[in-house]
Amino acid sequence: MNDIFKGPVYDFLVNKSINNKGDWGGNGGTLDASTPQNLENSKKGNTFMREFLQSISPKNIIETGTNYGSFSFTCYETLSDFNLYTCDNYDSDGSGCPSEECIDFINNHYNDNKVKYYNKTSWDFLDEIKKLNIKFDLAWLDSDHQYRFLKQELDTVSTMGVEYIMVDDFWYERDIQMAVFDFLKENKEYRFHSFSNIREEIGSITILQKTGKNQSLHYESDSER
């Protein structure tokens, strides 16, 4: 795979992140080079993501949590034929929308319009794209990391029959872990597919797969430990 940690799009997204938030942490993880360790973890996480994308070649993709467009960039550099519907939520306060600027830059760089950006909360966004009646192959969930947000996103994309669901930051966010575990307990047709197992803040991606088969999941509660 080609190295996406350089070039005009990478430079633009980095500069936009720094200008707006003052640190690399706002760049969504997969392009983090604030320290040598974070860069190494970002490369591992991005390689895991790109190898998975190549293996399933998704046509229609959902993303919650656009941020600075690192996933959009990754899709362009990895897939030849895709449509990505992505959202983030910025108040209209006259300061502009970094997500929209980044998506416009990325689409223009590739002279295409494969990424469709929505300035909406994830709940409103998912409700809207459900009405498009598109068969989505993959959902990448990386918005608000609170339990209630992720759980509702998981529940909604499952009703849309999305075959694969990728969730970011699984290793170090307990709310994310509990949302995923509770989702799997309630949705027997989904199972764990794979996990990047990078035990740092960068790159801890878990992937769920819809199998169409009823299956059970058990995990220990706090009282059982």
Side-chain angles (χ1 to χ4, degrees):
M1 291 186 292
N2 54 312
D3 183 6
I4 73 170
F5 285 78
K6 60 183 179 181
V9 176
Y10 176 78
D11 291 342
F12 179 87
L13 300 184
V14 170
N15 288 332
K16 180 59 65 173
S17 171
I18 293 172
N19 288 339
N20 279 275
K21 293 193 175 181
D23 63 75
W24 278 83
N27 209 4
T30 59
L31 299 177
D32 191 328
S34 57
T35 68
Q37 185 62 57
N38 278 6
L39 176 59
E40 182 65 22
N41 289 331
S42 290
K43 289 184 175 181
K44 290 179 181 178
N46 193 262
T47 297
F48 174 85
M49 178 185 290
R50 295 183 70 189
E51 288 177 347
F52 174 69
L53 290 174
Q54 288 179 334
S55 73
I56 66 169
S57 298
K59 170 68 175 178
N60 296 309
I61 309 169
I62 300 166
E63 177 189 22
T64 59
T66 310
N67 212 321
Y68 291 93
S70 60
F71 183 66
S72 300
F73 178 34
T74 298
C75 286
Y76 265 117
E77 286 292 302
T78 308
L79 303 170
S80 59
D81 185 21
F82 73 94
N83 296 293
L84 172 60
Y85 297 76
T86 183
C87 77
D88 222 317
N89 186 34
Y90 288 88
D91 294 330
S92 180
D93 59 2
S95 62
C97 174
S99 289
E100 187 171 17
E101 293 175 42
C102 290
I103 297 306
D104 286 344
F105 183 91
I106 293 168
N107 279 330
N108 289 335
H109 174 81
Y110 293 98
N111 194 28
D112 210 330
N113 191 36
K114 286 184 166 63
V115 183
K116 288 81 174 172
Y117 173 73
Y118 294 70
N119 187 18
K120 293 179 178 290
T121 65
S122 65
W123 297 348
D124 290 339
F125 162 72
L126 291 174
D127 285 343
E128 182 169 333
I129 64 170
K130 276 181 67 174
K131 299 173 184 176
L132 300 177
N133 293 319
I134 295 172
K135 176 64 174 73
F136 285 98
D137 307 298
L138 172 66
W140 167 237
L141 306 182
D142 189 21
S143 62
D144 194 300
H145 287 2
Q146 296 181 60
Y147 175 95
R148 65 188 185 97
F149 282 91
L150 177 57
K151 182 61 164 57
Q152 182 160 338
E153 291 177 10
L154 288 164
D155 289 339
T156 302
V157 298
S158 71
T159 66
M160 300 167 68
V162 178
E163 184 173 0
Y164 293 97
I165 305 172
M166 301 173 66
V167 180
D168 198 17
D169 300 322
F170 180 80
W171 180 77
Y172 76 103
E173 287 282 355
R174 181 165 175 78
D175 269 15
I176 291 176
Q177 295 165 8
M178 298 307 297
V180 169
F181 288 143
D182 286 349
F183 169 76
L184 290 174
K185 287 176 66 178
E186 297 168 10
N187 293 268
K188 305 300 185 183
E189 294 188 340
Y190 282 87
R191 67 171 181 87
F192 278 109
H193 174 275
S194 53
F195 177 46
S196 66
N197 199 29
I198 300 171
R199 299 191 173 190
E200 301 288 344
E201 291 188 0
I202 305 301
S204 54
I205 301 166
T206 193
I207 301 173
L208 312 179
Q209 180 183 13
K210 181 178 175 67
T211 66
K213 301 176 182 178
N214 287 330
Q215 50 215 332
S216 60
L217 172 75
H218 174 77
Y219 66 94
E220 292 181 342
S221 66
D222 290 338
S223 62
E224 292 176 310
R225 294 190 181 96

